[in-house]
């Protein structure tokens, strides 16, 4: 794994924004790094919506928010001094996405953490950066935490957890 | 036949004409559907008897979207759950989560568990305007928690004489939830009100699968926590709390030092460390209970892992009975 290949896993939360800012502050002006900002889609739960149309609409709203976040992340990193060609963004849709059906690469959605780690392994990323919400232990037990799972399961890479 | 009375009279000629209501094929306005109305669904007719009620703390809360009915052609009692999209906060001790009712989810699970006696049975059909109506068989029995509460035995007797068989059945109820998880589903609202003891079969039967949440990294965590709570109730024959432990009628040790770490992760007045008040609770069972306490450092990632630790406890309690 190449430690200078850095994967920032985001979900458009404030914690993700902090992770992006951290990398921009730390590495801005340095050369030799390749950075990818990654979002694995977690679409709105179809069961929460009375019909297909309202679900698709919620999915579209969410996608717009995420893509805006990804563009902003790229701006933050390049404004911080990283070369534009060294920064990539990627949006991996869910396989049952209401708005991105038929994507060649998609997430089956059983675990965002595992999807992030698969992407990291496949892309030879030696460094993985992820934000942390700071949830209570009870919340972590009941609902799980992508960050905690990533730190438990990561192999052959360094994980930076930004809180 | 175009009116409710004609349909009712065909099966029940004694039914008073003045009590007959409307014949409905559209269930959207469920608040207006009441006693005497007839719901027509997929060629079948259901006479509405009353709204279902949820009982908690001695208060009856009507569920206007759930109708107790009689299927006219068979005379069978049925429960019709009508579409009600509701979003509401649920308090889990100190934590609040957004919960939703999903007819779609419940209908899907009814299909998945058809013929499985560990779950309530039924099917769903769309009404004339596309509302998903779930037609449910009535579970004939009692809430398991009430049945346990009614058992006339002190805790020690209950624990050694009755609990092993109860835990065997509870383990089967846990396997039922594991079955849902392995099929990508969850129950969503595991609590005392949703597990019934069926008369005749003695089965423990899960009801009400319509609760759902936004997706999480651990979609089964909430169900597992619910099972832990139920187990705590069964092992204690009640919840042992800071309110009932000091009371004179409490049947365990009450002059013990209890710490915050002895209590439930979410319900801060609910004792998880039962061994402190009932010293004969085996360490192994207590260890399972302590997974749901404030002190816990690890949580069961699956029902299967919880069962792996729970099942040996049953035999241990049975062996303890011989020595007790």
């Amino acid at each position: 794994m190449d430690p200078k290949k850095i994967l920032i896993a985001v979900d458009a939360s404030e914690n993700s924004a902090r992770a992006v800012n951290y990398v921009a502050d730390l590495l801005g002006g340095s050369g030799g790094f390749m950075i990818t900002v990654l979002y694995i889609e977690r679409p709105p739960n179809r069961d929460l919506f009375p019909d297909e149309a309202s679900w698709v609409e919620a999915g579209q709203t969410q996608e717009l928010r995420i893509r805006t976040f990804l563009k902003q992340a790229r701006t933050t990193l390049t404004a911080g001094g990283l070369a534009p060609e060294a920064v990539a963004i990627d949006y991996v849709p869910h396989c049952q996405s209401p708005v991105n059906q038929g994507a060649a690469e998609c997430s089956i959605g059983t675990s965002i953490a595992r999807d992030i780690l698969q992407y990291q392994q496949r892309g030879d990323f030696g460094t993985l950066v992820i934000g942390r919400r700071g949830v209570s232990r009870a919340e972590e037990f009941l609902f799980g935490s992508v960050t905690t799972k990533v730190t438990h399961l990561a192999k052959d890479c360094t994980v930076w957890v930004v809180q | 036949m175009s009116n409710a009375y004609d349909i009712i009279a065909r099966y029940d000629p004694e039914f008073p004409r003045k009590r007959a209501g409307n014949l409905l094929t559209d269930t959207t306005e469920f608040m207006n559907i009441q006693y005497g109305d007839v719901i027509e669904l997929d060629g079948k007719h259901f006479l509405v008897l009353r709204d279902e009620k949820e009982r908690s703390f001695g208060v009856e809360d009507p569920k206007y979207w759930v109708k107790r009915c009689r299927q006219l052609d068979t005379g069978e009692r049925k429960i019709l759950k009508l579409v009600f999209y509701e979003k509401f906060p649920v308090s889990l001790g100190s934590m609040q989560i957004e919960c939703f009712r999903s007819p779609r989810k419940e209908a899907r699970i009814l299909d998945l568990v058809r013929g499985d006696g560990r779950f309530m049975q039924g099917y769903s059909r769309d009404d004339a305007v596309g509302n998903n109506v779930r037609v449910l068989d009535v579970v004939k029995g009692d809430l398991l928690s009430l049945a346990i509460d009614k058992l006339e035995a002190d805790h020690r007797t209950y624990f050694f004489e009755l609990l092993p068989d109860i835990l065997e059945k509870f383990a089967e109820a846990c396997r039922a939830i594991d079955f849902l998880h392995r099929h990508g589903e969850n129950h969503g609202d595991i609590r005392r009100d949703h597990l019934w003891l069926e008369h005749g079969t003695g089965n423990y039967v899960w009801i009400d699968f319509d609760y759902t949440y936004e997706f999480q990294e651990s979609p089964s965590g909430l169900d597992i926590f619910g099972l832990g709570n139920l187990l705590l109730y069964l092992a204690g024959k009640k919840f042992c709390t800071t309110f009932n432990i000091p009371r004179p009628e409490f049947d365990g040790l009450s002059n013990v030092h209890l710490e915050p770490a002895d209590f439930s992760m979410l319900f801060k007045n609910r004792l998880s460390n039962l061994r402190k008040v009932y010293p004969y609770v085996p360490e192994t069972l207590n260890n399972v209970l302590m997974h749901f306490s404030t002190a816990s450092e690890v949580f069961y990632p699956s029902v299967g892992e919880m069962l792996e630790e729970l099942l040996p406890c049953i035999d241990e309690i049975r062996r303890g009975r011989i020595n007790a």
Side-chain angles (χ1 to χ4, degrees), chain B residues 156-214:
Chain B
R156 178 186 279 270
T157 308
Y158 164 81
F159 191 82
F160 287 111
E161 301 295 329
L162 303 172
L163 185 62
D165 290 346
I166 291 168
L167 288 183
E168 293 275 10
K169 288 189 175 178
F170 177 68
E172 195 51 43
C174 291
R175 287 186 200 101
I177 296 300
D178 192 40
F179 170 83
L180 293 184
H181 294 173
R182 284 186 285 107
H183 286 80
E185 302 285 3
N186 58 53
H187 181 285
D189 192 22
I190 291 186
R191 59 185 161 103
R192 285 181 290 164
D193 287 357
H194 289 158
L195 187 59
W196 285 68
L197 169 61
E198 190 176 46
H199 290 160
T201 64
N203 285 343
Y204 290 2
V205 181
W206 293 108
I207 65 163
D208 285 2
F209 324 126
D210 55 346
Y211 283 54
T212 190
Y213 314 89
E214 273 296 356

